[in-house]
Amino acid sequence: MTNQTTIHLTINGHQHELEIEPRVTLLDALRDHLGLTGTKKGCDQGQCGACTVHVDGQRVLACLTLAAQVEGRAVTTIEGLAEADGTLHAVQAAFLEQDAFQCGYCTPGQIMSAVACIREGHAGSDDEIREYMAGNLCRCGAYPHIVAAVRQAATEVAS
Amino acid sequence: MTVHITRHGDASDGTEAVGSRLSRVDGPAKITGAAKYAVEQQLDGLAYAVLIESTIAAGKVRSIDTEAAEAAPGVLTVLTPDNIPPLKTASDWLGTPPPDAPYCPLAREITFSGQHVAAVVAETFEQAVAAAALAQVSYDEVPAIVDLSDGNAGDGIPIDAMTKAWGDAEAAFAAAPVRICAAYNTPREYQAPMEPHGLIARWQGDQLTVWEPSQWLDGMARTYAEWFGVPFENVRLVSPYIGGGFGSKALALGHGAVAAIAARMLDRPVRLVMTRPQTFTGYGGRAATRQTVTIGADADGIIQSIVHRGVNETSIDGMWVEPLGSTTSIMYATPNFSSRQNVVRVNSVVPGAMRAPGENPSAFGIESAIDELAYEVGVDPLEIRLRNYAEQDPHAKKAWSTRQLREAYAAGAERFGWSKRSPKPRSMRDGNQLIGWGVAAGTYPVRRAYGEAMVRILADGSVEVESSSIDMGQGTYTILAQTAAETLGVPADNVVVKLGDSRFARAGVTGGSRLAGVMTGAVHKAASAALDELVGLAISDPRSPFHALQANTLVVTNGRITSPRGEGPEVSIAELLASVGRDRIEAKGDTMPANSTAEERYKNYTTIAMALPHTEGDYSRYSWCAHFIEVRVDEDFGTVRVSRVVSALDSGRLYNPKLAESQWKGGIIMGIGQALLEEGIVDRRHGRIVNNNLADYLVPTNADIPDIEVISVGIPDPHSSVLGGKGVGELAIVGVAPAIANAVFHATGKRIRDLPITLEKLI
C-alpha cells in the first residue's frame, strides 16, 4: 500500500507539511524527509537512545514513535536546542568542555536526554545522573564525562 | 634549504600546541547535529535497499520465491544469487593477488546464520522493509558446527606462524617447585558501534562514489575498484565522520557490494543500512577463544617456564587468527617459553578485528595466571609482577624503546591506595558487599606505517590540512590542527583539517592505534615543507619586506613573521603572500623512503603489507598500562559492580591529553563490559546468535560505570613516532578484564576463568 497521508509537524518551532505513508516513524521523517539528520538511528528498536527527541518537552524515542502521532505537538531536536543566534545550550557547551563524546553518534540523543534529565530534576547527584542517563548508550565510553557535563550544566541552569 | 625554528611545545607556551588540552575542533558540529555522517547525505533519486539473511547456519538455498516481494508497492528490484551480476574477487588486505573467480555477495551455499541471501530495493525505506518480509527462502539444511564446544568442532588447524618458543619450557615446567595450570575462555564479543554499518553508492558512468563509514578509505576504494574492474581512481570513498568502528569498519564488506551492484543496475543512488540485528552477523566480532596457561616458578614466585596453548574460532571458509600468545610472550621475563595456537572452523561469520585483537584475550590469560601464581606462593599480586619484570623484550631479545610499566605500577598503586589492601580473599567487606581489589597490566605494540598529508597556506593566512585518514572519535581533526599550527606557528583555529575523502592525500588503515603517530608525522613533514617555502619566499623574493634584511632565517609565531633578533618588519602571513604575489603555498609531504615507486606508494596506502614491524632495528616498541580496580560483590546475589578504577598508562608523549584520556577511559569501559556483561549467546539448535540486539547483548550503560582515574606515565619515545607518541586507542582495554577477575577473586575467593563474570558463576 502506498496510502500516502498528509501530516503537519511542528519541529523546532517551524511548521512542516509532509506527504508520507502513515507507517513512517518520526525518526525517518526527520532524517529522510526533512533532512534533520542530527537525530541518529542507532538501533531502530528503542534500545540505544540515539534518537531521543523532545515531544512537548518530554524525552521520546523517535524510532518508536510514528510521525503521525506527534501531529499538533511540539517536537524539539538537537538542531533546535541552541538559540537562534547560535548560542549553545548550557548542556551542549558542557559536553564540549568536558569532552563528553568521541565519535559523536550518540551525542545528540545524550544531549536531548540530559536537557530533560535536568528539567525533570534528576540531576541531583552523580548517581542520580547515571541512573537517569542510563537509557542512552555510548559505545565510545564517554560516560564519566557525560556525568560531569550534566552536573556542570545542571548547576549553570539552576543559577 | 632554509632553517626554521619550530616549537616542540609541552603546552607551556600556549593552549593550542601539540601536547595541550585543546577541545575537539569537530565538537561544535557534533553537539549541534550539524555533523553529517556518511549515509546522511541527501541525494535526489535515492533508492533504499534492505538485506534478507539466511535463517539456517549450514546448507544450501533451495529456492527464493520473490514473486510477492516483486509485486509489492514501490519495489524496484529483488536481488538473489540467481539474478545478481557477479563481481571479480578482490585482493585481501595484504594485497595478495586474488583467484580469478567470480565473487557473489549473495550466497547459495550457507555457512552461517545471518548470511546475505537476497536484497530488496524500493522507492522508500518502508516499502523495502515490507517487501523483504514477503520473500520466501527455502533451504536444504545440514548440521552445523555451532561453536568451539561443539562435539564436531575438533582440534582445528595449527597456525605455525603463531608458534613462539625458547629454552625448554616443558622440562622447566616439570622441574619447577610451584606449578600453575588453568584454562581461560572468552566468548564472542561484538564491536557494536552506535552507528550501524551502511552506505550510499552512486554511479556516474564508470565512476563510483561511496558514502560509507570507513576506517580505511583507500583500502576500501581498492576493494570496490577490484570488485567492479574499474581503475582505483574511479572510486571515491567519502566518510567525514564515523560513528564508532572499534576495528569493524576497515574493510569493504558484502553489503557494500550489494548496494553498489544495485546502484549500477538501477542507475540511481542506493542506500543500504544494516539493521541492528544484522550488525551481529554482517561482519565478525571478536572470535571466541580458549587458552591454557601453565606457569612453573620457584618458591619466591620467580617464573621458570610458561607454556601456553590457544585456540580461536574462525569461519568455515574464512581465516581469522586472534594472536593469543602476543601478551603472554612479552609481559614477564622467563628463561623458558612455549606458545602454540590452533584455529577451529565453525559455522559463523568470519571473526574480525575488535579493539586490541590478540593482546586483549591474551592478557586475560596471562594476567589471570600470574595472579593465581601470586596467591599460590603468598606474594602480593603487584609484587610478583615486579619480581618478574621483563627488562627487555623476552621474545625479540631487544631493548624496549620505552617501557614505563614500573612507573605505571608505582603511580597507580599510590593513587589507588594499594598498600592498604588486605591480602586474604574475602577479607574486605562493607555490609553484605564483598570488596575486592585487583591489578593487571596491559600492553599493545606500536604499529607504524608511512603517511602522507597535504598542507596549504592560503592567501588570508589560514591553513588547510587534507588527508584521506579519518576521525571516528580519536581526535584526528584536533591533533592534526595542533600539529600544523605548531609547526607553522599559527593559531590552531586558523587551521582547517579536512578528512574522510579518498580524493585527499592518501592514508593507510586507521587501526592498530597507528593513526596519530603516522599522521602527526606526515603533517609535521608537509607543514615543515610549507614553512620552508614561506620563509624562503620572505627571505629571497625581492618584493618581500624582509628582502633587505639579508637574514638566513625567520620566525613565524601566532601567524606573524619576524626575524629571530627582532630586526626589521613584522608582517602577517597574509601580508607576506600578498607582497610576493602568491595566493597560496602548497606542500604535500610523506614519510615514505625518498626513492619509493608509485607502485610502492599505492601498496602502502591500500594494503597493510608495508607496515613497519614494531621490533624493527634495535628496539621493541610497545605501549603499557597498569589497572587497579575495586569491585563490590553482593554476597547473596553474586552481582558484581566495579566501584573504582585507577589506571596508569604509558602511551609515550600525548598529542592532546584531554582527548587521549577520553580514549583511555573508553577502552577501560569497554573492558568493564567485556569482564561483566558482553557475550554472544549461540542457540545451539540453529547456530544463531540469539542476543543480536542492544537490549540483550549488554554493553555498559552509564549506570554501570564509576569514576575512572587515568594517569599518564609516558615519556616521549623517539623510536616510535616522529613526535614521540605511542598507541592510545587500544591499549587501555588490555588488562581490564583480568584486573576485574582478579578483584572478584580477592572479594569472593572464587576464580572465574570464563568471561563474562556473571552472577550464576559466583553463587
Side-chain angles (χ1 to χ4, degrees), chain A residues 31-32 37 40 42 47 92 97 99 102-103 139-140 143 145, chain B residues 24 30-31 37 40 190-191 271 276 658 662 665 678 700:
Chain A
R31 288 170 61 82
D32 295 343
T37 56
K40 301 304 182 193
Q47 298 172 334
Q92 291 173 307
E97 188 177 332
D99 204 35
Q102 293 176 43
C103 81
R139 189 55 162 164
C140 296
Y143 296 131
H145 294 186
Chain B
R24 248 169 240 284
K30 287 178 174 174
I31 57 176
Y37 291 69
E40 295 171 349
Y190 296 91
Q191 301 91 345
R271 188 176 87 185
R276 180 53 65 177
K658 181 172 184 172
S662 287
K665 289 180 187 177
E678 298 184 32

PDB file of all heavy atoms in Angstrom, chain A residues 31-32 37 40 42 47 92 97 99 102-103 139-140 143 145, chain B residues 24 30-31 37 40 190-191 271 276 658 662 665 678 700:
ATOM      1  N   ARG A  31      14.874  12.384   9.514  1.00  0.00           N
ATOM      2  CA  ARG A  31      16.150  12.167   8.819  1.00  0.00           C
ATOM      3  C   ARG A  31      15.985  12.123   7.299  1.00  0.00           C
ATOM      4  O   ARG A  31      16.774  12.733   6.569  1.00  0.00           O
ATOM      5  CB  ARG A  31      16.787  10.856   9.290  1.00  0.00           C
ATOM      6  CG  ARG A  31      17.346  10.933  10.697  1.00  0.00           C
ATOM      7  CD  ARG A  31      17.759   9.555  11.221  1.00  0.00           C
ATOM      8  NE  ARG A  31      18.790   8.924  10.428  1.00  0.00           N
ATOM      9  CZ  ARG A  31      20.089   9.175  10.551  1.00  0.00           C
ATOM     10  NH1 ARG A  31      20.515  10.056  11.450  1.00  0.00           N
ATOM     11  NH2 ARG A  31      20.981   8.554   9.799  1.00  0.00           N
ATOM     12  N   ASP A  32      14.970  11.393   6.829  1.00  0.00           N
ATOM     13  CA  ASP A  32      14.885  11.150   5.386  1.00  0.00           C
ATOM     14  C   ASP A  32      13.956  12.116   4.661  1.00  0.00           C
ATOM     15  O   ASP A  32      14.082  12.315   3.463  1.00  0.00           O
ATOM     16  CB  ASP A  32      14.408   9.714   5.122  1.00  0.00           C
ATOM     17  CG  ASP A  32      15.412   8.692   5.620  1.00  0.00           C
ATOM     18  OD1 ASP A  32      16.578   9.068   5.866  1.00  0.00           O
ATOM     19  OD2 ASP A  32      15.030   7.519   5.768  1.00  0.00           O
ATOM     20  N   THR A  37      19.153  15.434  10.134  1.00  0.00           N
ATOM     21  CA  THR A  37      19.868  14.184  10.416  1.00  0.00           C
ATOM     22  C   THR A  37      20.619  14.209  11.744  1.00  0.00           C
ATOM     23  O   THR A  37      21.343  13.270  12.058  1.00  0.00           O
ATOM     24  CB  THR A  37      20.856  13.855   9.276  1.00  0.00           C
ATOM     25  OG1 THR A  37      21.728  14.986   9.111  1.00  0.00           O
ATOM     26  CG2 THR A  37      20.132  13.580   7.973  1.00  0.00           C
ATOM     27  N   LYS A  40      19.815  10.611  15.556  1.00  0.00           N
ATOM     28  CA  LYS A  40      20.525   9.456  14.987  1.00  0.00           C
ATOM     29  C   LYS A  40      19.740   8.160  15.106  1.00  0.00           C
ATOM     30  O   LYS A  40      18.987   7.964  16.063  1.00  0.00           O
ATOM     31  CB  LYS A  40      21.883   9.285  15.697  1.00  0.00           C
ATOM     32  CG  LYS A  40      22.808  10.489  15.601  1.00  0.00           C
ATOM     33  CD  LYS A  40      23.081  10.908  14.161  1.00  0.00           C
ATOM     34  CE  LYS A  40      24.034  12.080  14.093  1.00  0.00           C
ATOM     35  NZ  LYS A  40      24.076  12.691  12.750  1.00  0.00           N
ATOM     36  N   GLY A  42      20.423   4.460  15.816  1.00  0.00           N
ATOM     37  CA  GLY A  42      21.434   3.510  16.293  1.00  0.00           C
ATOM     38  C   GLY A  42      20.937   2.085  16.284  1.00  0.00           C
ATOM     39  O   GLY A  42      21.702   1.157  16.050  1.00  0.00           O
ATOM     40  N   GLN A  47      16.305   0.698  21.836  1.00  0.00           N
ATOM     41  CA  GLN A  47      17.235   0.140  22.816  1.00  0.00           C
ATOM     42  C   GLN A  47      18.430   1.021  23.129  1.00  0.00           C
ATOM     43  O   GLN A  47      19.106   0.794  24.127  1.00  0.00           O
ATOM     44  CB  GLN A  47      17.746  -1.214  22.299  1.00  0.00           C
ATOM     45  CG  GLN A  47      16.637  -2.241  22.117  1.00  0.00           C
ATOM     46  CD  GLN A  47      17.108  -3.495  21.428  1.00  0.00           C
ATOM     47  OE1 GLN A  47      18.071  -3.476  20.669  1.00  0.00           O
ATOM     48  NE2 GLN A  47      16.425  -4.600  21.680  1.00  0.00           N
ATOM     49  N   GLN A  92      24.959  21.641  25.769  1.00  0.00           N
ATOM     50  CA  GLN A  92      25.874  21.494  24.617  1.00  0.00           C
ATOM     51  C   GLN A  92      27.268  22.015  24.967  1.00  0.00           C
ATOM     52  O   GLN A  92      28.278  21.366  24.689  1.00  0.00           O
ATOM     53  CB  GLN A  92      25.327  22.265  23.408  1.00  0.00           C
ATOM     54  CG  GLN A  92      24.066  21.648  22.809  1.00  0.00           C
ATOM     55  CD  GLN A  92      23.460  22.532  21.728  1.00  0.00           C
ATOM     56  OE1 GLN A  92      23.213  23.720  21.962  1.00  0.00           O
ATOM     57  NE2 GLN A  92      23.206  21.968  20.562  1.00  0.00           N
ATOM     58  N   GLU A  97      33.061  21.164  26.625  1.00  0.00           N
ATOM     59  CA  GLU A  97      34.107  21.458  27.605  1.00  0.00           C
ATOM     60  C   GLU A  97      34.593  20.190  28.313  1.00  0.00           C
ATOM     61  O   GLU A  97      35.787  20.022  28.561  1.00  0.00           O
ATOM     62  CB  GLU A  97      33.546  22.452  28.630  1.00  0.00           C
ATOM     63  CG  GLU A  97      34.603  22.972  29.584  1.00  0.00           C
ATOM     64  CD  GLU A  97      34.008  24.009  30.550  1.00  0.00           C
ATOM     65  OE1 GLU A  97      33.023  24.677  30.183  1.00  0.00           O
ATOM     66  OE2 GLU A  97      34.546  24.118  31.662  1.00  0.00           O
ATOM     67  N   ASP A  99      34.483  17.156  27.155  1.00  0.00           N
ATOM     68  CA  ASP A  99      34.786  16.099  26.184  1.00  0.00           C
ATOM     69  C   ASP A  99      33.896  14.885  26.432  1.00  0.00           C
ATOM     70  O   ASP A  99      34.371  13.752  26.589  1.00  0.00           O
ATOM     71  CB  ASP A  99      36.266  15.699  26.224  1.00  0.00           C
ATOM     72  CG  ASP A  99      36.708  15.088  24.895  1.00  0.00           C
ATOM     73  OD1 ASP A  99      36.215  15.543  23.850  1.00  0.00           O
ATOM     74  OD2 ASP A  99      37.541  14.160  24.895  1.00  0.00           O
ATOM     75  N   GLN A 102      32.986  11.106  21.830  1.00  0.00           N
ATOM     76  CA  GLN A 102      34.121  10.855  20.943  1.00  0.00           C
ATOM     77  C   GLN A 102      33.617  10.794  19.502  1.00  0.00           C
ATOM     78  O   GLN A 102      33.734  11.760  18.764  1.00  0.00           O
ATOM     79  CB  GLN A 102      34.859   9.576  21.366  1.00  0.00           C
ATOM     80  CG  GLN A 102      35.549   9.757  22.731  1.00  0.00           C
ATOM     81  CD  GLN A 102      36.220   8.508  23.246  1.00  0.00           C
ATOM     82  OE1 GLN A 102      36.877   7.790  22.514  1.00  0.00           O
ATOM     83  NE2 GLN A 102      36.080   8.252  24.544  1.00  0.00           N
ATOM     84  N   CYS A 103      33.004   9.663  19.113  1.00  0.00           N
ATOM     85  CA  CYS A 103      32.553   9.582  17.713  1.00  0.00           C
ATOM     86  C   CYS A 103      31.407  10.537  17.438  1.00  0.00           C
ATOM     87  O   CYS A 103      31.195  10.944  16.309  1.00  0.00           O
ATOM     88  CB  CYS A 103      32.177   8.151  17.339  1.00  0.00           C
ATOM     89  SG  CYS A 103      30.533   7.606  17.848  1.00  0.00           S
ATOM     90  N   ARG A 139      29.008   3.772  23.074  1.00  0.00           N
ATOM     91  CA  ARG A 139      29.984   2.690  22.958  1.00  0.00           C
ATOM     92  C   ARG A 139      31.417   3.206  23.056  1.00  0.00           C
ATOM     93  O   ARG A 139      32.330   2.453  23.386  1.00  0.00           O
ATOM     94  CB  ARG A 139      29.768   1.938  21.648  1.00  0.00           C
ATOM     95  CG  ARG A 139      30.569   0.666  21.501  1.00  0.00           C
ATOM     96  CD  ARG A 139      30.351  -0.315  22.646  1.00  0.00           C
ATOM     97  NE  ARG A 139      30.772  -1.662  22.288  1.00  0.00           N
ATOM     98  CZ  ARG A 139      30.977  -2.633  23.172  1.00  0.00           C
ATOM     99  NH1 ARG A 139      30.802  -2.398  24.472  1.00  0.00           N
ATOM    100  NH2 ARG A 139      31.343  -3.836  22.777  1.00  0.00           N
ATOM    101  N   CYS A 140      31.633   4.487  22.751  1.00  0.00           N
ATOM    102  CA  CYS A 140      32.980   5.043  22.925  1.00  0.00           C
ATOM    103  C   CYS A 140      33.338   5.120  24.407  1.00  0.00           C
ATOM    104  O   CYS A 140      34.509   5.246  24.753  1.00  0.00           O
ATOM    105  CB  CYS A 140      33.098   6.425  22.310  1.00  0.00           C
ATOM    106  SG  CYS A 140      32.882   6.461  20.522  1.00  0.00           S
ATOM    107  N   TYR A 143      30.949   7.949  29.344  1.00  0.00           N
ATOM    108  CA  TYR A 143      30.029   8.112  30.482  1.00  0.00           C
ATOM    109  C   TYR A 143      30.535   9.027  31.605  1.00  0.00           C
ATOM    110  O   TYR A 143      29.796   9.902  32.052  1.00  0.00           O
ATOM    111  CB  TYR A 143      29.641   6.748  31.058  1.00  0.00           C
ATOM    112  CG  TYR A 143      28.865   5.866  30.109  1.00  0.00           C
ATOM    113  CD1 TYR A 143      29.229   4.543  29.906  1.00  0.00           C
ATOM    114  CD2 TYR A 143      27.751   6.342  29.418  1.00  0.00           C
ATOM    115  CE1 TYR A 143      28.514   3.702  29.046  1.00  0.00           C
ATOM    116  CE2 TYR A 143      27.027   5.519  28.555  1.00  0.00           C
ATOM    117  CZ  TYR A 143      27.421   4.198  28.376  1.00  0.00           C
ATOM    118  OH  TYR A 143      26.709   3.384  27.522  1.00  0.00           O
ATOM    119  N   HIS A 145      32.467  11.450  31.556  1.00  0.00           N
ATOM    120  CA  HIS A 145      32.470  12.836  31.092  1.00  0.00           C
ATOM    121  C   HIS A 145      31.053  13.341  30.841  1.00  0.00           C
ATOM    122  O   HIS A 145      30.779  14.529  30.984  1.00  0.00           O
ATOM    123  CB  HIS A 145      33.339  12.961  29.834  1.00  0.00           C
ATOM    124  CG  HIS A 145      34.797  12.689  30.096  1.00  0.00           C
ATOM    125  ND1 HIS A 145      35.778  12.854  29.160  1.00  0.00           N
ATOM    126  CD2 HIS A 145      35.442  12.266  31.218  1.00  0.00           C
ATOM    127  CE1 HIS A 145      36.959  12.543  29.672  1.00  0.00           C
ATOM    128  NE2 HIS A 145      36.764  12.165  30.925  1.00  0.00           N
TER     129      HIS A 145
ATOM    130  N   ARG B  24      37.975  19.350  21.277  1.00  0.00           N
ATOM    131  CA  ARG B  24      37.750  18.785  19.945  1.00  0.00           C
ATOM    132  C   ARG B  24      37.325  19.848  18.935  1.00  0.00           C
ATOM    133  O   ARG B  24      36.300  20.503  19.155  1.00  0.00           O
ATOM    134  CB  ARG B  24      36.588  17.795  20.064  1.00  0.00           C
ATOM    135  CG  ARG B  24      36.909  16.392  19.879  1.00  0.00           C
ATOM    136  CD  ARG B  24      35.742  15.524  20.298  1.00  0.00           C
ATOM    137  NE  ARG B  24      36.188  14.646  21.367  1.00  0.00           N
ATOM    138  CZ  ARG B  24      36.950  13.569  21.158  1.00  0.00           C
ATOM    139  NH1 ARG B  24      37.268  13.208  19.952  1.00  0.00           N
ATOM    140  NH2 ARG B  24      37.369  12.843  22.181  1.00  0.00           N
ATOM    141  N   LYS B  30      29.340  18.253  16.164  1.00  0.00           N
ATOM    142  CA  LYS B  30      28.735  17.045  16.740  1.00  0.00           C
ATOM    143  C   LYS B  30      27.688  17.372  17.816  1.00  0.00           C
ATOM    144  O   LYS B  30      26.744  16.608  17.992  1.00  0.00           O
ATOM    145  CB  LYS B  30      29.828  16.138  17.315  1.00  0.00           C
ATOM    146  CG  LYS B  30      30.653  15.449  16.233  1.00  0.00           C
ATOM    147  CD  LYS B  30      31.771  14.598  16.814  1.00  0.00           C
ATOM    148  CE  LYS B  30      32.478  13.803  15.714  1.00  0.00           C
ATOM    149  NZ  LYS B  30      33.664  13.081  16.225  1.00  0.00           N
ATOM    150  N   ILE B  31      27.840  18.473  18.520  1.00  0.00           N
ATOM    151  CA  ILE B  31      26.870  18.773  19.585  1.00  0.00           C
ATOM    152  C   ILE B  31      25.674  19.577  19.085  1.00  0.00           C
ATOM    153  O   ILE B  31      24.724  19.789  19.830  1.00  0.00           O
ATOM    154  CB  ILE B  31      27.536  19.546  20.760  1.00  0.00           C
ATOM    155  CG1 ILE B  31      28.171  20.831  20.267  1.00  0.00           C
ATOM    156  CG2 ILE B  31      28.511  18.661  21.500  1.00  0.00           C
ATOM    157  CD1 ILE B  31      28.758  21.685  21.368  1.00  0.00           C
ATOM    158  N   TYR B  37      27.007  12.433   8.921  1.00  0.00           N
ATOM    159  CA  TYR B  37      27.673  11.137   8.789  1.00  0.00           C
ATOM    160  C   TYR B  37      27.401  10.597   7.387  1.00  0.00           C
ATOM    161  O   TYR B  37      26.548  11.122   6.653  1.00  0.00           O
ATOM    162  CB  TYR B  37      27.190  10.194   9.892  1.00  0.00           C
ATOM    163  CG  TYR B  37      27.678  10.634  11.261  1.00  0.00           C
ATOM    164  CD1 TYR B  37      27.189  11.803  11.843  1.00  0.00           C
ATOM    165  CD2 TYR B  37      28.660   9.943  11.949  1.00  0.00           C
ATOM    166  CE1 TYR B  37      27.663  12.248  13.073  1.00  0.00           C
ATOM    167  CE2 TYR B  37      29.130  10.371  13.191  1.00  0.00           C
ATOM    168  CZ  TYR B  37      28.640  11.518  13.748  1.00  0.00           C
ATOM    169  OH  TYR B  37      29.112  11.955  14.955  1.00  0.00           O
ATOM    170  N   GLU B  40      24.023  10.001   5.703  1.00  0.00           N
ATOM    171  CA  GLU B  40      23.062  11.085   5.902  1.00  0.00           C
ATOM    172  C   GLU B  40      23.074  12.094   4.755  1.00  0.00           C
ATOM    173  O   GLU B  40      22.395  13.119   4.838  1.00  0.00           O
ATOM    174  CB  GLU B  40      23.345  11.785   7.236  1.00  0.00           C
ATOM    175  CG  GLU B  40      23.108  10.839   8.409  1.00  0.00           C
ATOM    176  CD  GLU B  40      23.565  11.371   9.752  1.00  0.00           C
ATOM    177  OE1 GLU B  40      24.262  12.406   9.798  1.00  0.00           O
ATOM    178  OE2 GLU B  40      23.236  10.741  10.757  1.00  0.00           O
ATOM    179  N   TYR B 190      31.224  -8.311  20.466  1.00  0.00           N
ATOM    180  CA  TYR B 190      30.869  -7.510  19.293  1.00  0.00           C
ATOM    181  C   TYR B 190      31.269  -6.050  19.477  1.00  0.00           C
ATOM    182  O   TYR B 190      31.104  -5.488  20.560  1.00  0.00           O
ATOM    183  CB  TYR B 190      29.365  -7.639  19.010  1.00  0.00           C
ATOM    184  CG  TYR B 190      29.019  -9.057  18.656  1.00  0.00           C
ATOM    185  CD1 TYR B 190      28.639  -9.964  19.634  1.00  0.00           C
ATOM    186  CD2 TYR B 190      29.175  -9.508  17.355  1.00  0.00           C
ATOM    187  CE1 TYR B 190      28.383 -11.293  19.316  1.00  0.00           C
ATOM    188  CE2 TYR B 190      28.926 -10.829  17.023  1.00  0.00           C
ATOM    189  CZ  TYR B 190      28.529 -11.713  18.010  1.00  0.00           C
ATOM    190  OH  TYR B 190      28.292 -13.030  17.685  1.00  0.00           O
ATOM    191  N   GLN B 191      31.742  -5.456  18.378  1.00  0.00           N
ATOM    192  CA  GLN B 191      32.183  -4.055  18.435  1.00  0.00           C
ATOM    193  C   GLN B 191      31.010  -3.141  18.769  1.00  0.00           C
ATOM    194  O   GLN B 191      31.170  -2.188  19.522  1.00  0.00           O
ATOM    195  CB  GLN B 191      32.784  -3.641  17.084  1.00  0.00           C
ATOM    196  CG  GLN B 191      33.985  -4.466  16.637  1.00  0.00           C
ATOM    197  CD  GLN B 191      33.583  -5.659  15.776  1.00  0.00           C
ATOM    198  OE1 GLN B 191      32.418  -6.051  15.725  1.00  0.00           O
ATOM    199  NE2 GLN B 191      34.560  -6.235  15.098  1.00  0.00           N
ATOM    200  N   ARG B 271      20.811   3.460  -1.013  1.00  0.00           N
ATOM    201  CA  ARG B 271      21.249   3.436   0.387  1.00  0.00           C
ATOM    202  C   ARG B 271      20.911   2.078   0.990  1.00  0.00           C
ATOM    203  O   ARG B 271      19.805   1.577   0.805  1.00  0.00           O
ATOM    204  CB  ARG B 271      20.556   4.534   1.189  1.00  0.00           C
ATOM    205  CG  ARG B 271      21.125   4.659   2.611  1.00  0.00           C
ATOM    206  CD  ARG B 271      20.503   5.814   3.354  1.00  0.00           C
ATOM    207  NE  ARG B 271      19.272   5.380   4.009  1.00  0.00           N
ATOM    208  CZ  ARG B 271      18.451   6.222   4.667  1.00  0.00           C
ATOM    209  NH1 ARG B 271      18.712   7.513   4.706  1.00  0.00           N
ATOM    210  NH2 ARG B 271      17.371   5.758   5.244  1.00  0.00           N
ATOM    211  N   ARG B 276      20.113  -3.249  13.261  1.00  0.00           N
ATOM    212  CA  ARG B 276      20.990  -3.572  14.394  1.00  0.00           C
ATOM    213  C   ARG B 276      21.210  -5.084  14.509  1.00  0.00           C
ATOM    214  O   ARG B 276      22.354  -5.523  14.653  1.00  0.00           O
ATOM    215  CB  ARG B 276      20.423  -2.972  15.690  1.00  0.00           C
ATOM    216  CG  ARG B 276      21.253  -3.246  16.926  1.00  0.00           C
ATOM    217  CD  ARG B 276      22.705  -2.861  16.813  1.00  0.00           C
ATOM    218  NE  ARG B 276      22.956  -1.440  16.669  1.00  0.00           N
ATOM    219  CZ  ARG B 276      24.192  -0.912  16.612  1.00  0.00           C
ATOM    220  NH1 ARG B 276      25.265  -1.682  16.677  1.00  0.00           N
ATOM    221  NH2 ARG B 276      24.343   0.387  16.443  1.00  0.00           N
ATOM    222  N   LYS B 658      43.668  15.713  26.807  1.00  0.00           N
ATOM    223  CA  LYS B 658      42.222  15.704  27.031  1.00  0.00           C
ATOM    224  C   LYS B 658      41.557  14.606  26.201  1.00  0.00           C
ATOM    225  O   LYS B 658      40.704  13.855  26.688  1.00  0.00           O
ATOM    226  CB  LYS B 658      41.650  17.079  26.652  1.00  0.00           C
ATOM    227  CG  LYS B 658      40.145  17.224  26.862  1.00  0.00           C
ATOM    228  CD  LYS B 658      39.718  18.681  26.649  1.00  0.00           C
ATOM    229  CE  LYS B 658      38.234  18.874  26.937  1.00  0.00           C
ATOM    230  NZ  LYS B 658      37.852  20.289  26.916  1.00  0.00           N
ATOM    231  N   SER B 662      40.163  10.570  27.195  1.00  0.00           N
ATOM    232  CA  SER B 662      38.831  10.085  26.822  1.00  0.00           C
ATOM    233  C   SER B 662      38.923   8.707  26.174  1.00  0.00           C
ATOM    234  O   SER B 662      38.120   7.814  26.455  1.00  0.00           O
ATOM    235  CB  SER B 662      38.160  11.058  25.856  1.00  0.00           C
ATOM    236  OG  SER B 662      37.746  12.218  26.542  1.00  0.00           O
ATOM    237  N   LYS B 665      39.753   6.077  28.797  1.00  0.00           N
ATOM    238  CA  LYS B 665      38.581   5.734  29.619  1.00  0.00           C
ATOM    239  C   LYS B 665      37.599   4.886  28.818  1.00  0.00           C
ATOM    240  O   LYS B 665      36.984   3.956  29.352  1.00  0.00           O
ATOM    241  CB  LYS B 665      37.897   7.007  30.134  1.00  0.00           C
ATOM    242  CG  LYS B 665      38.721   7.720  31.203  1.00  0.00           C
ATOM    243  CD  LYS B 665      38.022   8.977  31.707  1.00  0.00           C
ATOM    244  CE  LYS B 665      38.943   9.755  32.640  1.00  0.00           C
ATOM    245  NZ  LYS B 665      38.324  11.028  33.093  1.00  0.00           N
ATOM    246  N   GLU B 678      29.454  -8.746  28.374  1.00  0.00           N
ATOM    247  CA  GLU B 678      29.341  -8.995  26.937  1.00  0.00           C
ATOM    248  C   GLU B 678      29.586 -10.453  26.566  1.00  0.00           C
ATOM    249  O   GLU B 678      30.609 -11.028  26.917  1.00  0.00           O
ATOM    250  CB  GLU B 678      30.302  -8.076  26.179  1.00  0.00           C
ATOM    251  CG  GLU B 678      29.962  -6.614  26.403  1.00  0.00           C
ATOM    252  CD  GLU B 678      30.812  -5.654  25.596  1.00  0.00           C
ATOM    253  OE1 GLU B 678      31.222  -6.016  24.482  1.00  0.00           O
ATOM    254  OE2 GLU B 678      31.061  -4.544  26.088  1.00  0.00           O
ATOM    255  N   PRO B 700      28.057  -1.739  28.416  1.00  0.00           N
ATOM    256  CA  PRO B 700      27.904  -0.936  29.627  1.00  0.00           C
ATOM    257  C   PRO B 700      26.991   0.269  29.400  1.00  0.00           C
ATOM    258  O   PRO B 700      27.015   0.891  28.338  1.00  0.00           O
ATOM    259  CB  PRO B 700      29.333  -0.469  29.921  1.00  0.00           C
ATOM    260  CG  PRO B 700      30.208  -1.446  29.237  1.00  0.00           C
ATOM    261  CD  PRO B 700      29.462  -1.872  28.011  1.00  0.00           C
TER     262      PRO B 700
END
